[in-house]
Amino acid sequence: MLRQVVASPPGWSRALLSRIPSPRRSPEDTPLPPAPAGPRRIVRSGLSVTGAGLAALFYCLSFTPSLLPRAWFLQGVVAGITAAMGYALGAAAGALARRLHGPFLARTALIAWAALAAVVPVMVVIFLWLGTRWQRDLRIRLGMEPVPEYDIARTVGASLLTFGLLLLIARFLRLSTYGCALLFRRIVPQRAAYCAGTLVVAVLAYSAFDGLLIANLFTTVDRLAAVENNGTGSGVTVPASTLRSGGPQSFVRWDTLGRQGRTFVAGTPTVEELSTFARRPAIEPIRVYAGLTSADTLQERADLVVREMDRTGAFDRAVIAVITPTGTGWVDNKVPRSLEFMYAGDTALVSMQYSYLPSFFAFMGDRSEVADAADALISAVRARWAALPAATRPRLLLFGESLGTYGMEMTFGTPERLVDGADGALLLGPTFANPTHRALTEGRAAGSPIWDPAYPALPVEFADDAAELRDMSGPRPKVVYLQNATDPVVWWSWDLLWKKPQWLIGQRAPDVTPDMHWYPGITFWQITCDLVFSNKVPTGHGHSYRSETVDGWAALAPPPGWTTADSVRLRALLDG
């Protein structure tokens, strides 16, 4: 009964109570109106379940093989960055899905986390085991020593550290976006505030990345490269011969050659070494080089090289080779030495520096430098050479490696002009940006693979293995491309992001592992990372050509009586 009275007072009680005045409320007791709705809270304490799922998938796929084996720390960084890419993609997809189907996803989140907890550890362990096996098989395929299996533990540590660092950066940017949105909410509606905050953080992040990181990186590399260019390699001394730039009577001062130029002119084999290999009397070879400070302009440096050639008697030799170097002015010493041994020193090799930056930075910074330098030097030498009687003038050969091939191709413009440009042209490891290489590859004979194309319309020969040049029949080629099937410099391209490359379709090159498959975005990222250590592999793989130039020169312009046995013997000498 008492419960009834309390729960529902009779009518007279309600009437009496209604007559009792309410106590006066203070302003502090007045309930506040609800705060206006602000931007959706975007700072979450946990991880995104969709982001975690895609991160795990991307992490596993990062251990799949690419063209070259990776060191443990590089594989760790690759795996961490790849997992961060997957997390970002998954988190974005999850945010969109929550906006469209929020209640349903909230009910299934715990189920998804439970499924991930059951599946991901097993999947990661399997791919770590497979990744170790793939890397071991790839190293054996390329003739490299296997690495210890415990490296996988260090790889996992490096990957987790990389992923954690990138996740912290992402969380900081997201928190900054939320803070900016709160500030803008005071003057604009919530959606506009969130958009404005996102835009501000994006602009500031890009400015910091481009202005602080990238600009400082190029500045630092430029400064270090300039210091390096002023130095001199160990054991390199001023030549005593008048047949070298920087030596006695030379028009080019030793201190203007740059580090790579000094190494180039000082790396000539002795007459005794040449005579021993040739089994006949040899003469001293000529090497001419102009550094960045040897003259004020490209054209003046090219003219200086021609004057040096006249001074040394270069146009009286059996062979003249014009070499377009890489970004730093570097010339692989096995390239000129191979010609000098083949011709018993009856050679004149000339080159000219156009930059002191490494090829990657020279390529990304301003490709016109190598194109202008190659054009100036080749044109100056060809003009002087073409003025000689055709019956008595020496063979004119052209050489370019990596970025140097781009400069050579840009000098001539078309395949036909490249063929007619000299007595022979040898190009090693052409870049993806080379227009002539691309035109020849796209116009290859039907049925020939992209990694070893045939182009019967012109005397052009491609080889993914230099030894196959020894078995050619018919007329000699005028242009030879050596392009290793595992060279990422050759096969890297932007469309790897969204398109399966032709070199992974159909018949593959012998040293490309059958376990390699294309995955959108991931394969592009893997080939990009392969560029980092593309020179740290044995000759004939990656971007390492070295003694393969012997077979290239022998296919283009062998001296009288030269045999395959001589090529094998010379390659063994250069590799020894």
Side-chain angles (χ1 to χ4, degrees):
M1 188 69 178
L2 179 60
R3 241 178 294 171
Q4 278 186 343
V5 172
V6 174
S8 179
W12 65 267
S13 300
R14 289 197 300 270
L16 181 61
L17 288 173
S18 65
R19 295 174 183 270
I20 300 175
S22 300
R24 186 180 301 274
R25 295 183 178 180
S26 65
E28 290 79 3
D29 297 329
T30 304
L32 295 175
R40 182 182 296 270
R41 184 174 176 81
I42 58 174
V43 179
R44 298 165 58 89
S45 58
L47 296 174
S48 162
V49 63
T50 51
L54 271 186
L57 176 62
F58 276 43
Y59 183 80
C60 291
L61 292 178
S62 72
F63 286 91
T64 58
S66 57
L67 290 175
L68 300 175
R70 293 187 287 269
W72 68 266
F73 56 89
L74 179 61
Q75 177 61 60
V77 173
V78 169
I81 295 177
T82 306
M85 293 176 180
Y87 184 84
L89 183 61
L96 179 62
R98 283 193 302 272
R99 179 175 292 275
L100 298 176
H101 307 286
F104 173 76
L105 291 180
R107 290 193 298 269
T108 59
L110 289 178
I111 300 175
W113 277 116
L116 288 179
V119 173
V120 167
V122 177
M123 186 172 65
V124 169
V125 169
I126 291 174
F127 272 87
L128 288 177
W129 174 75
L130 288 174
T132 303
R133 194 193 71 177
W134 284 327
Q135 290 296 311
R136 181 180 64 250
D137 292 346
L138 194 56
R139 295 180 71 87
I140 293 174
R141 183 180 292 270
L142 270 60
M144 302 172 65
E145 289 292 328
V147 296
E149 293 189 358
Y150 61 75
D151 273 359
I152 194 63
R154 295 192 286 182
T155 296
V156 172
S159 65
L160 293 177
L161 181 62
T162 302
F163 178 79
L165 179 61
L166 293 175
L167 186 61
L168 284 176
I169 294 174
R171 289 294 175 93
F172 172 76
L173 294 176
R174 193 169 67 175
L175 182 62
S176 301
T177 300
Y178 179 67
C180 289
L182 289 178
L183 292 177
F184 285 118
R185 198 187 83 185
R186 300 174 181 272
I187 55 177
V188 296
Q190 73 171 50
R191 291 185 181 275
Y194 181 70
C195 291
T198 303
L199 179 62
V200 168
V201 172
V203 170
L204 291 177
Y206 175 79
S207 300
F209 178 78
D210 184 62
L212 297 178
L213 181 61
I214 300 300
N216 286 337
L217 175 63
F218 272 84
T219 300
T220 302
V221 170
D222 183 79
R223 187 184 304 116
L224 293 176
V227 173
E228 178 79 6
N229 186 63
N230 291 328
T232 301
S234 177
V236 175
T237 58
V238 181
S241 171
T242 59
L243 301 181
R244 324 265 184 84
S245 293
Q249 304 177 20
S250 174
F251 298 139
V252 183
R253 298 198 321 270
W254 173 257
D255 61 338
T256 68
L257 288 173
R259 183 186 185 91
Q260 301 300 340
R262 287 188 278 271
T263 300
F264 174 76
V265 299
T268 309
T270 64
V271 173
E272 291 75 19
E273 291 173 327
L274 296 171
S275 299
T276 300
F277 177 82
R279 297 167 182 166
R280 59 187 172 89
I283 60 176
E284 184 178 359
I286 296 171
R287 290 198 187 185
V288 173
Y289 194 95
L292 280 175
T293 59
S294 297
D296 293 334
T297 66
L298 277 176
Q299 191 57 54
E300 290 175 350
R301 291 199 293 274
D303 293 340
L304 180 61
V305 167
V306 174
R307 289 174 57 202
E308 276 281 274
M309 294 176 70
D310 283 328
R311 179 188 68 82
T312 57
F315 293 100
D316 297 326
R317 295 300 177 99
V319 169
I320 293 174
V322 182
I323 300 172
T324 305
T326 62
T328 59
W330 175 78
V331 177
D332 185 348
N333 201 34
K334 293 183 180 180
V335 173
R337 287 173 71 89
S338 58
L339 264 184
E340 289 163 343
F341 275 104
M342 290 177 71
Y343 281 86
D346 196 7
T347 57
L349 310 178
V350 302
S351 188
M352 184 176 77
Q353 187 180 17
Y354 55 86
S355 173
Y356 50 71
L357 291 174
S359 288
F360 173 80
F361 293 94
F363 183 83
M364 299 301 293
D366 187 4
R367 275 177 257 171
S368 65
E369 288 185 344
V370 61
D372 294 342
D375 182 40
L377 180 59
I378 293 174
S379 298
V381 174
R382 286 184 75 246
R384 175 70 176 83
W385 169 82
L388 300 173
T392 58
R393 65 191 181 198
R395 281 178 169 175
L396 178 62
L397 303 178
L398 306 177
F399 175 84
E401 182 172 359
S402 192
L403 185 58
T405 66
Y406 177 82
M408 282 179 56
E409 289 192 4
M410 294 301 292
T411 297
F412 295 100
T414 66
E416 292 76 14
R417 292 182 61 188
L418 178 61
V419 167
D420 295 334
D423 293 314
L426 179 59
L427 299 91
L428 274 58
T431 74
F432 75 96
N434 286 27
T436 299
H437 176 266
R438 183 168 58 250
L440 290 169
T441 302
E442 292 175 352
R444 67 187 182 277
S448 61
I450 191 172
W451 44 269
D452 191 12
Y455 196 88
L458 290 173
V460 177
E461 186 69 28
F462 289 83
D464 70 302
D465 180 3
E468 70 185 56
L469 295 172
R470 304 169 187 171
D471 301 325
M472 290 188 308
S473 59
R476 293 195 175 278
K478 294 287 294 294
V479 176
V480 168
Y481 281 94
L482 285 177
Q483 48 183 38
N484 294 332
T486 54
D487 186 352
V489 174
V490 178
W491 308 117
W492 186 95
S493 64
W494 286 109
D495 59 7
L496 279 172
L497 278 166
W498 63 85
K499 182 180 178 183
K500 186 175 183 178
Q502 294 185 46
W503 44 272
L504 285 180
I505 300 174
Q507 181 186 4
R508 297 190 180 188
D511 52 350
V512 176
T513 173
D515 294 319
M516 182 179 180
H517 302 284
W518 176 79
Y519 303 98
I522 293 177
T523 301
F524 169 84
W525 170 237
Q526 288 179 321
I527 301 301
T528 301
C529 293
D530 284 343
L531 293 170
V532 178
F533 294 104
S534 59
N535 287 312
K536 308 300 182 182
V537 291
T539 300
H541 305 286
H543 200 53
S544 177
Y545 294 89
R546 303 185 181 102
S547 65
E548 287 190 307
T549 54
V550 172
D551 291 304
W553 292 132
L556 286 168
W562 187 263
T563 65
T564 298
D566 293 326
S567 295
V568 174
R569 191 163 56 95
L570 181 52
R571 288 194 61 170
L573 174 67
L574 295 176
D575 289 334

